[in-house]
Amino acid sequence: MAKSKFEYVRTFELEDKLLKNVWMVVRIDGKGFHAFSQEHNFMKPNDSRALDLMNCAAEGVLSELQDVFLAYGQSDEFSFVFKRSSTLFGRRSSKIISTVCSVFTAHYVFRWADYFPTQPLLHPPSFDGRVVLYPTVRDLRNYFSWRQADCHINNLYNTCFWELVQTGGLTTAEAEKRLSKTLSADKNEILFSEFGINYNETPERFRKGSTLIRKDVVDDSQRKRKVIRVLSCDIIGDTFWKDNAAALSLSDG
């Protein structure tokens, strides 16, 4: 590459390489998605179309970035885990975050009409991102436990809130006041005693989010290949991690 007297400006770039031999987790969040969901008539408390589109965009990230081996999403967020050995972009934080955000957003916009055929995209969505490093299997698993617990807490509240509004006839202000200072047990009791809803029987995808993982399958020609699977399952307990140990290849070594 030809050099010029202006090339010295490159020395001002931040050297933002991430620590080696740790898992890189990039989490993206929808920017201003409360207003975005209202403007695009998302159904409350959960819109399967919107969740399917988020999963589709996440699959796009896994398809384009082979170093991502696990992803978890709920609501307007998704987390992507890179292999400990990944050398993508020399482990430069800014490039990794911007690439995940741009690939995810591109797929979200490109596939919008497939999931919302009667709802035009009124303005471009955007997502912010951050990267966090986790040194041990326990830390990584606790991260995902935290995100799935957050999914459950938010979904239980939203399910109860919108049932009070849509079926119970309360205003949003009245529903918010009714649920103020309530515990999970209180919300479960409201759903069951007033609306006949057993929260534990509501769809798992709403309660547990979406987990994306690569699985080995054998095609018609008996050749093994990897496909991306979307699961709605518990990732706080041990079962998921034991059942998918080969695909995840997690160890602290």
Side-chain angles (χ1 to χ4, degrees):
M1 183 174 66
K3 294 189 176 184
S4 74
K5 65 180 180 180
F6 307 111
E7 191 172 354
Y8 78 94
V9 297
R10 293 183 61 187
T11 63
F12 288 93
E13 291 185 20
L14 180 66
E15 184 70 22
D16 59 350
K17 289 185 178 181
L18 296 168
L19 190 67
K20 293 181 179 180
N21 200 35
V22 293
W23 287 287
M24 301 180 289
V25 177
V26 175
R27 185 169 81 250
I28 60 100
D29 286 279
K31 183 177 179 293
F33 255 60
H34 179 73
F36 182 88
S37 65
Q38 290 182 325
E39 293 163 350
H40 291 87
N41 300 307
F42 284 16
M43 291 182 285
K44 303 294 185 181
N46 294 289
D47 192 318
S48 293
R49 302 167 301 170
L51 296 175
D52 287 340
L53 178 55
M54 289 287 289
N55 290 345
C56 175
E59 286 189 55
V61 174
L62 267 72
S63 296
E64 295 193 30
L65 302 177
Q66 294 299 309
D67 281 358
V68 177
F69 67 92
L70 177 66
Y72 174 78
Q74 50 126 336
S75 185
D76 65 342
E77 72 168 59
F78 243 99
S79 299
F80 301 92
V81 191
F82 287 77
K83 299 174 184 176
R84 293 175 68 133
S85 59
S86 176
T87 57
L88 182 67
F89 302 128
R91 295 179 76 94
R92 288 191 60 183
S93 172
S94 56
K95 287 206 168 190
I96 291 170
I97 296 171
S98 60
T99 298
V100 171
C101 279
S102 62
V103 170
F104 187 94
T105 306
H107 282 271
Y108 191 95
V109 172
F110 187 70
R111 297 296 300 275
W112 173 270
D114 294 339
Y115 297 91
F116 290 89
T118 62
Q119 171 61 61
L121 185 60
L122 302 178
H123 59 83
S126 60
F127 296 84
D128 61 49
R130 75 217 69 186
V131 61
V132 184
L133 306 180
Y134 292 102
T136 70
V137 173
R138 174 177 290 184
D139 292 326
L140 186 65
R141 284 190 54 176
N142 284 344
Y143 170 80
F144 282 101
S145 296
W146 170 49
R147 300 320 305 142
Q148 188 164 71
D150 184 74
C151 175
H152 160 69
I153 292 168
N154 290 338
N155 186 64
L156 177 58
Y157 179 91
N158 290 333
T159 300
C160 197
F161 177 89
W162 286 107
E163 199 64 35
L164 288 169
V165 172
Q166 295 170 346
T167 306
L170 300 187
T171 66
T172 54
E174 289 170 339
E176 185 175 352
K177 184 177 181 180
R178 174 79 187 278
L179 295 177
S180 177
K181 299 180 181 180
T182 56
L183 303 176
S184 293
D186 302 320
K187 298 180 184 72
N188 275 293
E189 180 60 27
I190 290 172
L191 286 172
F192 188 75
S193 63
E194 298 186 26
F195 304 106
I197 296 174
N198 183 336
Y199 178 75
N200 290 328
E201 294 179 356
T202 59
E204 279 195 319
R205 68 178 310 189
F206 301 153
R207 293 182 284 117
K208 297 182 178 179
S210 298
T211 302
L212 276 64
I213 188 173
R214 290 189 177 87
K215 302 278 279 186
D216 288 326
V217 299
V218 178
D219 60 24
D220 294 337
S221 59
Q222 300 303 305
R223 288 181 299 186
K224 186 182 289 188
R225 61 187 180 90
K226 290 189 179 294
V227 297
I228 299 168
R229 296 295 192 206
V230 180
L231 310 174
S232 292
C233 61
D234 176 73
I235 56 174
I236 296 176
D238 293 333
T239 301
F240 167 79
W241 304 94
K242 290 180 179 178
D243 289 349
N244 296 285
L248 297 171
S249 299
L250 296 179
S251 74
D252 289 331

